[in-house]
Amino acid sequence: MPVISAPHELLDSGVYVDLRAALGRPLYLKCEGFNFAGSVKMRTAAGLVAAAEAEGRLGPDKILIESSSGNLGLALAIIAAGKGIRFVCVTDPRCNPTTLRLLRAVGAEVVVVSEADEERGFLHSRLEYVRRRCAEDPRYVWLDQYANPANWIAHYESTAAEIAKQFPDLDLLFVGVGTGGTLTGCARYFRDNGDRVRVVAVDAVGSVTFGQPPARRLIPGLGTSVRPPLLDPSVAADVVHVAEVDTIRRCRELAARGLLFGGSTGTVLGGALEWLDTHDPDGQLTAVAIAPDLGERYVDTIYDDAWVSAHFGADVLEHLANA
């Protein structure tokens, strides 16, 4: 087991869940939640901070600032605390209450943008706030997870390489899409190393990332209301869109078997199973899905019957209970 001296030094747990026992489907979940940030975003945050340090952008008088729906913000907050750097997380009302408490627990300043842009949603409002604050005070350093190549490079150098080592006969990789960093990094890695593996993108219904019309989204993590400049959609071999009701169903399905995962993982799992049911019904392909997060931060939302009933209706809650 590793011995570490800083939280960002713990990244890869090497844990995969074989879903044949739980779901009867030959699909492996790569669990990215076993680090101090509890999500795959610890890799992204570590890469962004390391790049900023190499460029000489960070110093004792600087303040990190970033827009985030939750997981990347928490990862940056933890790394900043470990390095003694001030950090401001700009988020919105969809951020899980538990994540907000965790951000403040490690010393982050949290700004919740309450008004969404009429056309481009909360993300646009968050980004405008960050830009204004940076323009007003030169001490602020915006890492810009949406456009910074250090985002996808982190997953090219670590996430994809680890999966390739564990599964040399891999056929399919399912990746959830937020900023596009994980998808871009993994797809480029496999393209540069034989081009055998198909990388399938999983997005949320209501996200505009792949040209779909915008719609209400309540579960933070995957999907965007502003297409991320980092992402080249052509890197994906295919795209699956998952409705939030299906995200909740998949999360609860795993939780009933003792596997408590987060909303992003439920979405990725839902997309992977839908794709495999259509394209590989006999289970002949070796497939891995990246599970971005664990479930404890969602106990007040997707695992809470009152929250589900209030936002999706009592009929949906009854259907989930009987599924």
Tab-separated table of all heavy atoms in Angstrom, residues 77-118:
chain	number	residue	atom	x	y	z
A	77	ALA	N	-10.212	22.129	-3.572
A	77	ALA	CA	-10.199	22.624	-2.203
A	77	ALA	C	-9.276	21.792	-1.328
A	77	ALA	O	-8.528	22.332	-0.489
A	77	ALA	CB	-11.620	22.615	-1.634
A	78	ILE	N	-9.301	20.483	-1.518
A	78	ILE	CA	-8.458	19.595	-0.724
A	78	ILE	C	-6.986	19.793	-1.066
A	78	ILE	O	-6.126	19.865	-0.176
A	78	ILE	CB	-8.903	18.135	-0.938
A	78	ILE	CG1	-10.257	17.902	-0.246
A	78	ILE	CG2	-7.861	17.152	-0.432
A	78	ILE	CD1	-10.889	16.583	-0.568
A	79	ILE	N	-6.678	19.892	-2.359
A	79	ILE	CA	-5.284	20.114	-2.761
A	79	ILE	C	-4.803	21.477	-2.281
A	79	ILE	O	-3.683	21.612	-1.765
A	79	ILE	CB	-5.150	19.999	-4.287
A	79	ILE	CG1	-5.420	18.554	-4.735
A	79	ILE	CG2	-3.756	20.437	-4.746
A	79	ILE	CD1	-5.435	18.374	-6.233
A	80	ALA	N	-5.647	22.502	-2.431
A	80	ALA	CA	-5.268	23.838	-1.979
A	80	ALA	C	-5.004	23.861	-0.477
A	80	ALA	O	-4.037	24.475	-0.007
A	80	ALA	CB	-6.366	24.840	-2.340
A	81	ALA	N	-5.848	23.182	0.286
A	81	ALA	CA	-5.638	23.119	1.736
A	81	ALA	C	-4.310	22.442	2.061
A	81	ALA	O	-3.572	22.883	2.949
A	81	ALA	CB	-6.803	22.378	2.389
A	82	GLY	N	-4.002	21.374	1.336
A	82	GLY	CA	-2.742	20.673	1.572
A	82	GLY	C	-1.516	21.510	1.256
A	82	GLY	O	-0.448	21.319	1.832
A	83	LYS	N	-1.680	22.461	0.333
A	83	LYS	CA	-0.568	23.316	-0.079
A	83	LYS	C	-0.594	24.686	0.601
A	83	LYS	O	0.282	25.521	0.355
A	83	LYS	CB	-0.593	23.506	-1.598
A	83	LYS	CG	-0.291	22.243	-2.390
A	83	LYS	CD	-0.383	22.502	-3.891
A	83	LYS	CE	0.038	21.276	-4.690
A	83	LYS	NZ	1.500	21.036	-4.600
A	84	GLY	N	-1.617	24.942	1.417
A	84	GLY	CA	-1.715	26.227	2.082
A	84	GLY	C	-2.096	27.370	1.157
A	84	GLY	O	-1.682	28.509	1.351
A	85	ILE	N	-2.915	27.080	0.139
A	85	ILE	CA	-3.341	28.074	-0.848
A	85	ILE	C	-4.821	28.379	-0.635
A	85	ILE	O	-5.624	27.476	-0.410
A	85	ILE	CB	-3.123	27.550	-2.288
A	85	ILE	CG1	-1.669	27.178	-2.524
A	85	ILE	CG2	-3.582	28.588	-3.322
A	85	ILE	CD1	-1.435	26.455	-3.839
A	86	ARG	N	-5.208	29.631	-0.712
A	86	ARG	CA	-6.621	29.995	-0.639
A	86	ARG	C	-7.338	29.530	-1.900
A	86	ARG	O	-6.773	29.533	-2.992
A	86	ARG	CB	-6.784	31.507	-0.475
A	86	ARG	CG	-6.365	32.052	0.880
A	86	ARG	CD	-6.488	33.566	0.903
A	86	ARG	NE	-7.869	34.009	0.636
A	86	ARG	CZ	-8.205	35.278	0.432
A	86	ARG	NH1	-7.273	36.231	0.430
A	86	ARG	NH2	-9.481	35.605	0.209
A	87	PHE	N	-8.614	29.147	-1.728
A	87	PHE	CA	-9.384	28.652	-2.867
A	87	PHE	C	-10.815	29.135	-2.778
A	87	PHE	O	-11.444	29.100	-1.714
A	87	PHE	CB	-9.364	27.129	-2.919
A	87	PHE	CG	-10.290	26.546	-3.959
A	87	PHE	CD1	-10.094	26.813	-5.310
A	87	PHE	CD2	-11.366	25.746	-3.593
A	87	PHE	CE1	-10.958	26.300	-6.275
A	87	PHE	CE2	-12.222	25.220	-4.550
A	87	PHE	CZ	-12.015	25.501	-5.893
A	88	VAL	N	-11.344	29.586	-3.926
A	88	VAL	CA	-12.738	30.010	-4.046
A	88	VAL	C	-13.442	29.091	-5.037
A	88	VAL	O	-13.013	28.976	-6.193
A	88	VAL	CB	-12.848	31.474	-4.530
A	88	VAL	CG1	-14.313	31.872	-4.674
A	88	VAL	CG2	-12.120	32.408	-3.572
A	89	CYS	N	-14.513	28.449	-4.591
A	89	CYS	CA	-15.310	27.582	-5.461
A	89	CYS	C	-16.604	28.299	-5.818
A	89	CYS	O	-17.375	28.684	-4.935
A	89	CYS	CB	-15.624	26.258	-4.775
A	89	CYS	SG	-16.606	25.125	-5.795
A	90	VAL	N	-16.847	28.473	-7.102
A	90	VAL	CA	-18.064	29.116	-7.584
A	90	VAL	C	-18.993	28.032	-8.104
A	90	VAL	O	-18.695	27.356	-9.090
A	90	VAL	CB	-17.746	30.144	-8.688
A	90	VAL	CG1	-19.027	30.849	-9.132
A	90	VAL	CG2	-16.710	31.152	-8.199
A	91	THR	N	-20.117	27.859	-7.433
A	91	THR	CA	-21.031	26.783	-7.772
A	91	THR	C	-22.445	27.332	-7.905
A	91	THR	O	-22.643	28.539	-8.021
A	91	THR	CB	-20.934	25.637	-6.739
A	91	THR	OG1	-21.697	24.516	-7.183
A	91	THR	CG2	-21.371	26.076	-5.355
A	92	ASP	N	-23.451	26.440	-7.912
A	92	ASP	CA	-24.843	26.873	-8.071
A	92	ASP	C	-25.744	26.008	-7.200
A	92	ASP	O	-25.264	25.080	-6.535
A	92	ASP	CB	-25.243	26.828	-9.556
A	92	ASP	CG	-25.191	25.435	-10.146
A	92	ASP	OD1	-25.914	24.552	-9.645
A	92	ASP	OD2	-24.425	25.223	-11.117
A	93	PRO	N	-27.041	26.283	-7.161
A	93	PRO	CA	-27.930	25.574	-6.229
A	93	PRO	C	-28.038	24.069	-6.434
A	93	PRO	O	-28.539	23.362	-5.542
A	93	PRO	CB	-29.290	26.251	-6.456
A	93	PRO	CG	-28.960	27.611	-6.949
A	93	PRO	CD	-27.740	27.418	-7.812
A	94	ARG	N	-27.598	23.543	-7.560
A	94	ARG	CA	-27.673	22.101	-7.783
A	94	ARG	C	-26.590	21.344	-7.035
A	94	ARG	O	-26.650	20.118	-6.924
A	94	ARG	CB	-27.563	21.791	-9.274
A	94	ARG	CG	-28.701	22.336	-10.118
A	94	ARG	CD	-28.416	22.141	-11.594
A	94	ARG	NE	-27.148	22.762	-11.954
A	94	ARG	CZ	-26.526	22.570	-13.105
A	94	ARG	NH1	-27.043	21.766	-14.002
A	94	ARG	NH2	-25.387	23.178	-13.368
A	95	CYS	N	-25.586	22.029	-6.535
A	95	CYS	CA	-24.500	21.369	-5.801
A	95	CYS	C	-25.081	20.656	-4.586
A	95	CYS	O	-25.895	21.220	-3.840
A	95	CYS	CB	-23.462	22.402	-5.373
A	95	CYS	SG	-22.004	21.701	-4.554
A	96	ASN	N	-24.671	19.416	-4.367
A	96	ASN	CA	-25.193	18.646	-3.240
A	96	ASN	C	-24.895	19.333	-1.914
A	96	ASN	O	-23.782	19.828	-1.707
A	96	ASN	CB	-24.570	17.250	-3.224
A	96	ASN	CG	-25.043	16.382	-4.368
A	96	ASN	OD1	-26.199	16.455	-4.763
A	96	ASN	ND2	-24.152	15.577	-4.914
A	97	PRO	N	-25.860	19.373	-0.998
A	97	PRO	CA	-25.615	19.993	0.310
A	97	PRO	C	-24.407	19.424	1.044
A	97	PRO	O	-23.657	20.164	1.691
A	97	PRO	CB	-26.919	19.704	1.077
A	97	PRO	CG	-27.960	19.541	0.020
A	97	PRO	CD	-27.255	18.899	-1.139
A	98	THR	N	-24.199	18.116	0.939
A	98	THR	CA	-23.051	17.512	1.604
A	98	THR	C	-21.744	18.034	1.023
A	98	THR	O	-20.781	18.288	1.747
A	98	THR	CB	-23.103	15.979	1.475
A	98	THR	OG1	-24.318	15.505	2.045
A	98	THR	CG2	-21.923	15.327	2.181
A	99	THR	N	-21.696	18.206	-0.294
A	99	THR	CA	-20.493	18.732	-0.934
A	99	THR	C	-20.215	20.155	-0.474
A	99	THR	O	-19.052	20.525	-0.226
A	99	THR	CB	-20.630	18.685	-2.459
A	99	THR	OG1	-20.891	17.334	-2.870
A	99	THR	CG2	-19.356	19.181	-3.148
A	100	LEU	N	-21.247	20.965	-0.342
A	100	LEU	CA	-21.057	22.324	0.156
A	100	LEU	C	-20.443	22.316	1.556
A	100	LEU	O	-19.532	23.102	1.851
A	100	LEU	CB	-22.396	23.061	0.190
A	100	LEU	CG	-23.023	23.419	-1.156
A	100	LEU	CD1	-24.414	24.013	-0.948
A	100	LEU	CD2	-22.141	24.400	-1.922
A	101	ARG	N	-20.927	21.435	2.401
A	101	ARG	CA	-20.373	21.349	3.763
A	101	ARG	C	-18.930	20.878	3.744
A	101	ARG	O	-18.083	21.355	4.520
A	101	ARG	CB	-21.241	20.430	4.617
A	101	ARG	CG	-22.634	20.998	4.904
A	101	ARG	CD	-23.337	20.228	6.006
A	101	ARG	NE	-23.694	18.879	5.586
A	101	ARG	CZ	-24.862	18.568	5.020
A	101	ARG	NH1	-25.774	19.503	4.799
A	101	ARG	NH2	-25.132	17.323	4.688
A	102	LEU	N	-18.617	19.938	2.859
A	102	LEU	CA	-17.239	19.452	2.761
A	102	LEU	C	-16.302	20.548	2.258
A	102	LEU	O	-15.167	20.678	2.737
A	102	LEU	CB	-17.184	18.239	1.833
A	102	LEU	CG	-17.801	16.949	2.376
A	102	LEU	CD1	-17.914	15.905	1.271
A	102	LEU	CD2	-16.989	16.405	3.543
A	103	LEU	N	-16.754	21.318	1.284
A	103	LEU	CA	-15.939	22.424	0.774
A	103	LEU	C	-15.569	23.386	1.898
A	103	LEU	O	-14.401	23.785	2.039
A	103	LEU	CB	-16.701	23.172	-0.321
A	103	LEU	CG	-16.729	22.531	-1.705
A	103	LEU	CD1	-17.854	23.119	-2.549
A	103	LEU	CD2	-15.381	22.721	-2.399
A	104	ARG	N	-16.559	23.749	2.692
A	104	ARG	CA	-16.293	24.682	3.791
A	104	ARG	C	-15.450	24.037	4.880
A	104	ARG	O	-14.651	24.706	5.537
A	104	ARG	CB	-17.621	25.191	4.342
A	104	ARG	CG	-18.406	26.034	3.314
A	104	ARG	CD	-19.674	26.629	3.899
A	104	ARG	NE	-20.317	27.520	2.929
A	104	ARG	CZ	-21.475	27.269	2.331
A	104	ARG	NH1	-22.140	26.147	2.612
A	104	ARG	NH2	-21.999	28.131	1.465
A	105	ALA	N	-15.599	22.724	5.069
A	105	ALA	CA	-14.836	22.026	6.106
A	105	ALA	C	-13.334	22.082	5.855
A	105	ALA	O	-12.544	22.119	6.807
A	105	ALA	CB	-15.296	20.567	6.204
A	106	VAL	N	-12.933	22.105	4.575
A	106	VAL	CA	-11.497	22.159	4.260
A	106	VAL	C	-11.035	23.587	3.969
A	106	VAL	O	-9.940	23.800	3.453
A	106	VAL	CB	-11.134	21.218	3.090
A	106	VAL	CG1	-11.337	19.769	3.493
A	106	VAL	CG2	-11.936	21.548	1.839
A	107	GLY	N	-11.876	24.568	4.293
A	107	GLY	CA	-11.440	25.953	4.247
A	107	GLY	C	-11.703	26.715	2.978
A	107	GLY	O	-11.213	27.841	2.818
A	108	ALA	N	-12.471	26.161	2.054
A	108	ALA	CA	-12.751	26.870	0.806
A	108	ALA	C	-13.775	27.975	1.033
A	108	ALA	O	-14.675	27.853	1.870
A	108	ALA	CB	-13.273	25.903	-0.252
A	109	GLU	N	-13.632	29.057	0.273
A	109	GLU	CA	-14.698	30.060	0.192
A	109	GLU	C	-15.669	29.587	-0.881
A	109	GLU	O	-15.253	29.281	-2.003
A	109	GLU	CB	-14.134	31.429	-0.185
A	109	GLU	CG	-15.212	32.491	-0.383
A	109	GLU	CD	-14.684	33.795	-0.939
A	109	GLU	OE1	-13.475	34.055	-0.816
A	109	GLU	OE2	-15.494	34.567	-1.528
A	110	VAL	N	-16.951	29.515	-0.552
A	110	VAL	CA	-17.955	28.995	-1.479
A	110	VAL	C	-18.888	30.123	-1.902
A	110	VAL	O	-19.474	30.799	-1.053
A	110	VAL	CB	-18.770	27.854	-0.851
A	110	VAL	CG1	-19.808	27.333	-1.844
A	110	VAL	CG2	-17.850	26.729	-0.394
A	111	VAL	N	-18.998	30.314	-3.209
A	111	VAL	CA	-19.923	31.288	-3.780
A	111	VAL	C	-20.982	30.509	-4.553
A	111	VAL	O	-20.657	29.770	-5.488
A	111	VAL	CB	-19.202	32.276	-4.720
A	111	VAL	CG1	-20.218	33.209	-5.378
A	111	VAL	CG2	-18.147	33.062	-3.963
A	112	VAL	N	-22.246	30.656	-4.161
A	112	VAL	CA	-23.345	29.981	-4.845
A	112	VAL	C	-24.059	31.009	-5.723
A	112	VAL	O	-24.703	31.931	-5.223
A	112	VAL	CB	-24.333	29.355	-3.847
A	112	VAL	CG1	-25.473	28.665	-4.602
A	112	VAL	CG2	-23.617	28.362	-2.941
A	113	VAL	N	-23.900	30.858	-7.032
A	113	VAL	CA	-24.548	31.758	-7.986
A	113	VAL	C	-26.018	31.369	-8.070
A	113	VAL	O	-26.344	30.238	-8.444
A	113	VAL	CB	-23.872	31.669	-9.365
A	113	VAL	CG1	-24.633	32.490	-10.384
A	113	VAL	CG2	-22.427	32.135	-9.271
A	114	SER	N	-26.899	32.270	-7.725
A	114	SER	CA	-28.311	31.907	-7.563
A	114	SER	C	-29.153	32.105	-8.810
A	114	SER	O	-30.247	31.539	-8.916
A	114	SER	CB	-28.918	32.723	-6.418
A	114	SER	OG	-28.811	34.112	-6.672
A	115	GLU	N	-28.690	32.903	-9.767
A	115	GLU	CA	-29.499	33.179	-10.954
A	115	GLU	C	-28.837	32.578	-12.200
A	115	GLU	O	-27.670	32.842	-12.479
A	115	GLU	CB	-29.678	34.683	-11.142
A	115	GLU	CG	-30.503	35.341	-10.033
A	115	GLU	CD	-30.789	36.791	-10.327
A	115	GLU	OE1	-30.490	37.251	-11.454
A	115	GLU	OE2	-31.310	37.482	-9.430
A	116	ALA	N	-29.615	31.789	-12.937
A	116	ALA	CA	-29.109	31.163	-14.158
A	116	ALA	C	-29.345	32.080	-15.352
A	116	ALA	O	-30.364	32.760	-15.439
A	116	ALA	CB	-29.808	29.828	-14.392
A	117	ASP	N	-28.377	32.087	-16.263
A	117	ASP	CA	-28.559	32.794	-17.520
A	117	ASP	C	-29.747	32.180	-18.264
A	117	ASP	O	-29.891	30.949	-18.308
A	117	ASP	CB	-27.290	32.686	-18.368
A	117	ASP	CG	-27.392	33.413	-19.693
A	117	ASP	OD1	-27.135	34.619	-19.707
A	117	ASP	OD2	-27.731	32.761	-20.695
A	118	GLU	N	-30.593	33.032	-18.850
A	118	GLU	CA	-31.822	32.536	-19.471
A	118	GLU	C	-31.565	31.537	-20.590
A	118	GLU	O	-32.328	30.595	-20.786
A	118	GLU	CB	-32.644	33.710	-20.014
A	118	GLU	CG	-33.259	34.583	-18.922
A	118	GLU	CD	-34.166	35.646	-19.489
A	118	GLU	OE1	-34.369	35.663	-20.730
A	118	GLU	OE2	-34.669	36.471	-18.712
